Amino acid sequence: MKQPARAKARSRETVGKDVFFALTDLMSFLTHHDTLTGIQRVQSNIARSLIDRRGDDARYIIADRPVPGKDACFRELDRTAFVRLIDYVNGEVVDHDQLQALLSLCVDGARPVTPRPGSAVILLGSFWSNENTVDRYLALKRSGVRIGVYIYDIIPLSHPEFCDAYLVRDFSASLLDLCLVADFFLAISDHTRSDLARFLSENSPSQPPIRTVRLAHAMTLQPEVADIWPNAMQRLKGREYVAFVSTIEGRKNHLYAVNVWRQLIADGVEVPDLVLAGRKGWRINGLIDLLEGTDNLDGRVHLVHDLSDTELAAVYENSLFTVFPSLVEGWGLPVGESLALGKMCAASNTSSIPEVGGDFVDYFDPTNLQDGVKVIARLIQNRAWLADRERNIADHFTARTWDEVADEFMAEVADLGRAPPTPIGVAMLEAGVVYRPSDVFQPPSPHRWLQDRATRFLMARSFYGNETVGCWMRGPSGEMVFQTGLAEGEPIVIDIAAFSTGLLGDAGVTLMLDPVAGKPRLRPVALHLPVEPGAQYQIRGHVGPAGLCRLTLEVAGPYERPGGDERDLAIGFSAIGFAPAADIEARMDLLEGMTLKVATYRPTSSAGGG
């Protein structure tokens, strides 16, 4: 097998319209951390290369905090201030106060901007975080802006056992939301692209195109090792060690590496020290228990964290070799970092890792301890083999650079931008299931994430954000459009639990089921509701074309708004569900699932855009 292929050289293309990279989550990350890791490092390196190579072709935006009742507003980062910030955080020494000062200059100096129709907005970071959720981009999509998403992996879906339950829920809901909005996806590896395509084919009503734009091998734009030694590793100076650079979490398989060292010691091998360089994450109780119980294997294992990129480069450069026994990856950046600095790596043979390492890595099965013992023992004991493998890297390996990533990224966006935009999708509801906006505040459940996602997208057009009481409608009228999966014209019943402020006075409330055109006999059905603080209603009608239904709520007449809140509040809903009129079992499920909750209004600080 040959080394990983370099990106095809592409001529500079004119994208025609602006390309905006959304970096809100990166700016938020830097308010809490002084060093970049993982996704944040990728964002900064791609953006930095684009600024150097593509000039005004790419622009960088952040979303303002949600304003009740208004669509998301965006501000464009000043390039000079942004470059100064990124260069500083990637430097040798990072002072927290200086970093925060540069961050403030960058964020506070950002100018309001509205992307034009035909432009593209790329979610470059964590699309599942509060800063990047789909409600921020719906108004742009409706105006004719294309939405693209860079996907790092779908591990919270493919391997939820390695992730926090709340991450699984938020990631799942957000990804499926994006399937109803995104015009295209870009993936960091062929493995991620394949996983994403398979997941979408099984779970999403829409299938946006997916292209691969592989990450770089190098840790920094121009990896150079300064004459620096991390303070956290002073006692290791002059000693042999093997480096394992990665966030310390369950799926990275640190316990496997430590157990390999235990086995080698038991076999009488004179092992070098093992350095675990990375922040502590989740699912590591077994690892910590083992280290505490063995005094870090009698001092042979060392944990260091919060290293700068320059310090990490020194960790790589001064290591005997590196290990990376991760169980599953979207890319495997530590493998590429090791090779880019000329260091041999022993790594897992799973997921995307062989895409990164090619023939330059010694692979093992991360679920078979003896396989890892054999591969790593050879690198420790057979120095001629290790030297030969390092010469192979020096003579034949060519690292993929961030400049290549940036050029390929823009070429793919330009190509995908020539296709017609995808229409905005609608929420898919399941017959007999009750959907509640407040469910997102409940502990995560592996059986409910589709409901959470469907409810969030159902309310995104006309409602404020989720609250424990339910979801308040924006102003006197709103709609919920959803897909039933039923045939056009099929009789249907819909149950909805509604609530009000109790301040509607003489204003009337109308609930209407509109089959969204279609056959002439499919007339809208309207109910004129009694004005009550909380009530549960049932409306009957017919399914429209393509299985769609539109439910509208309207307040007719003036009403009093509650004090102490900027939002225009009148009514909202706390639960909704449907069933085919002829399906008695689904109707019984719906009846049992619905509860009557009387809601009273109280201002809440959690209210936000929906």
Side-chain angles (χ1 to χ4, degrees):
M1 186 169 87
K2 294 182 180 180
Q3 70 177 60
R6 292 176 61 107
K8 260 196 206 172
R10 301 188 188 218
S11 60
R12 176 168 174 157
E13 298 183 58
T14 302
V15 298
K17 299 288 185 180
D18 293 321
V19 178
F20 295 86
F21 289 88
L23 301 176
T24 311
D25 62 309
L26 173 61
M27 298 296 107
S28 177
F29 181 89
L30 288 173
T31 64
H32 304 289
H33 303 283
D34 294 342
T35 57
L36 298 176
T37 184
I39 291 175
Q40 292 73 35
R41 292 166 69 193
V42 172
Q43 291 183 82
S44 69
N45 284 336
I46 291 177
R48 189 67 178 82
S49 285
L50 284 171
I51 288 172
D52 286 343
R53 296 176 63 78
R54 307 304 295 249
D56 295 336
D57 284 356
R59 302 165 69 177
Y60 310 92
I61 58 174
I62 55 176
D64 280 337
R65 291 186 178 278
V67 176
K70 296 184 179 180
D71 292 323
C73 297
F74 296 90
R75 289 182 292 146
E76 183 175 2
L77 299 175
D78 176 77
R79 283 185 177 82
T80 301
F82 179 57
V83 167
R84 189 181 302 124
L85 172 68
I86 295 304
D87 288 351
Y88 182 76
V89 77
N90 283 322
E92 293 184 17
V93 179
V94 178
D95 175 76
H96 176 77
D97 292 338
Q98 178 66 15
L99 174 62
Q100 294 307 307
L102 291 172
L103 178 63
S104 294
L105 286 173
C106 187
V107 172
D108 295 344
R111 302 177 299 273
V113 64
T114 301
R116 300 176 299 166
S119 298
V121 170
I122 312 298
L123 279 66
L124 196 58
S126 51
F127 59 81
W128 58 93
S129 70
N130 289 332
E131 292 84 6
N132 268 338
T133 49
V134 69
D135 51 280
R136 297 290 187 98
Y137 302 95
L138 272 175
L140 289 178
K141 172 70 175 180
R142 294 191 192 106
S143 74
V145 174
R146 297 172 188 269
I147 306 297
V149 190
Y150 202 27
I151 301 293
Y152 294 80
D153 60 65
I154 63 165
I155 291 170
L157 295 171
S158 62
H159 296 78
E161 66 273 19
F162 297 135
C163 302
D164 176 81
Y166 288 90
L167 171 62
V168 173
R169 183 187 69 185
D170 294 343
F171 185 97
S172 304
S174 296
L175 179 57
L176 284 172
D177 279 351
L178 285 170
C179 293
L180 302 177
V181 174
D183 291 278
F184 56 86
F185 291 105
L186 299 167
I188 66 171
S189 66
D190 286 339
H191 172 78
T192 293
R193 183 183 66 182
S194 176
D195 275 359
L196 178 61
R198 182 167 54 252
F199 177 79
L200 296 184
S201 69
E202 295 171 355
N203 296 280
S204 175
S206 59
Q207 306 292 315
I210 310 170
R211 302 278 182 87
T212 299
V213 178
R214 292 183 180 86
L215 295 187
H217 289 98
M219 171 171 59
T220 56
L221 297 176
Q222 292 180 326
E224 295 178 357
V225 179
D227 185 16
I228 187 171
W229 188 262
N231 288 330
M233 294 175 55
Q234 287 301 320
R235 57 182 171 164
L236 279 172
K237 202 163 189 179
R239 294 171 61 176
E240 283 190 339
Y241 67 86
V242 173
F244 182 176
V245 178
S246 168
T247 301
I248 301 174
E249 60 181 68
R251 74 175 172 91
K252 301 293 187 178
N253 219 8
H254 288 76
L255 185 58
Y256 178 96
V258 174
N259 278 328
V260 166
W261 253 246
R262 287 182 75 191
Q263 183 65 55
L264 290 171
I265 292 171
D267 292 344
V269 176
E270 185 63 34
V271 297
D273 288 354
L274 175 63
V275 173
L276 310 181
R279 293 192 182 99
K280 287 184 180 179
W282 46 57
R283 305 289 193 269
I284 58 171
N285 289 342
L287 171 69
I288 299 303
D289 289 345
L290 173 59
L291 294 177
E292 289 179 351
T294 62
D295 191 23
N296 284 22
L297 294 192
D298 295 325
R300 305 314 297 264
V301 179
H302 309 266
L303 280 70
V304 295
H305 56 85
D306 290 333
L307 302 180
S308 69
D309 277 354
T310 304
E311 289 175 320
L312 277 175
V315 170
Y316 281 115
E317 177 70 14
N318 292 286
S319 67
L320 183 63
F321 60 89
T322 68
V323 295
F324 193 65
S326 180
L327 291 163
V328 60
E329 290 292 318
W331 176 243
L333 191 59
V335 175
E337 292 172 346
S338 181
L339 297 176
L341 289 167
K343 285 297 175 177
M344 181 59 189
C345 181
S348 301
N349 59 5
T350 63
S351 57
S352 60
I353 296 173
E355 285 186 62
V356 184
D359 283 341
F360 301 95
V361 168
D362 284 359
Y363 296 100
F364 55 80
D365 179 352
T367 66
N368 183 326
L369 184 67
Q370 294 309 313
D371 195 24
V373 168
K374 181 178 68 174
V375 169
I376 292 171
R378 180 170 60 181
L379 291 171
I380 293 173
Q381 295 180 301
N382 188 339
R383 297 304 173 90
W385 171 264
L386 176 59
D388 184 63
R389 295 295 279 152
E390 286 191 343
R391 277 194 298 272
N392 184 49
I393 295 170
D395 293 343
H396 302 291
F397 177 77
T398 302
R400 177 172 163 86
T401 68
W402 291 109
D403 286 346
E404 291 176 284
V405 176
D407 285 348
E408 187 173 348
F409 210 114
M410 293 298 283
E412 293 291 6
V413 170
D415 189 46
L416 289 163
R418 298 185 182 98
T422 60
I424 297 177
V426 297
M428 178 76 182
L429 304 190
E430 183 180 347
V433 175
V434 176
Y435 297 82
R436 295 183 180 87
S438 61
D439 277 352
V440 298
F441 298 105
Q442 301 300 316
S445 165
H447 309 294
R448 206 182 58 229
W449 59 273
L450 281 173
Q451 287 95 305
D452 290 349
R453 162 257 166 176
T455 307
R456 183 163 63 179
F457 203 84
L458 178 70
M459 56 180 244
R461 296 171 180 265
S462 304
F463 293 81
Y464 295 108
N466 307 59
E467 300 180 46
T468 54
V469 71
C471 193
W472 289 100
M473 189 167 71
R474 299 181 184 219
S477 63
E479 67 175 18
M480 291 177 277
V481 180
F482 59 91
Q483 167 65 248
T484 65
L486 302 177
E488 180 182 357
E490 183 167 350
I492 190 175
V493 296
I494 299 174
D495 286 2
I496 181 169
F499 56 85
S500 75
T501 61
L503 302 173
L504 298 188
D506 295 329
V509 180
T510 300
L511 175 66
M512 178 181 289
L513 173 58
D514 183 353
V516 197
K519 298 178 180 178
R521 67 182 178 84
L522 302 181
R523 303 294 183 184
V525 178
L527 287 179
H528 299 284
L529 310 178
V531 178
E532 299 175 359
Q536 182 172 318
Y537 306 98
Q538 184 178 93
I539 188 169
R540 299 176 179 230
H542 296 86
V543 176
L548 294 176
C549 283
R550 177 186 288 117
L551 195 67
T552 60
L553 280 165
E554 184 172 358
V555 180
Y559 54 88
E560 183 181 349
R561 298 184 185 183
D565 200 306
E566 297 179 3
R567 297 173 297 169
D568 184 359
L569 305 182
I571 58 174
F573 81 98
S574 58
I576 187 173
F578 83 92
D583 190 336
I584 302 302
E585 184 177 355
R587 290 178 61 181
M588 289 300 297
D589 289 341
L590 191 61
L591 181 62
E592 291 179 359
M594 294 292 293
T595 58
L596 180 59
K597 293 184 180 180
V598 178
T600 56
Y601 170 75
R602 58 178 65 89
T604 172
S605 60
S606 65

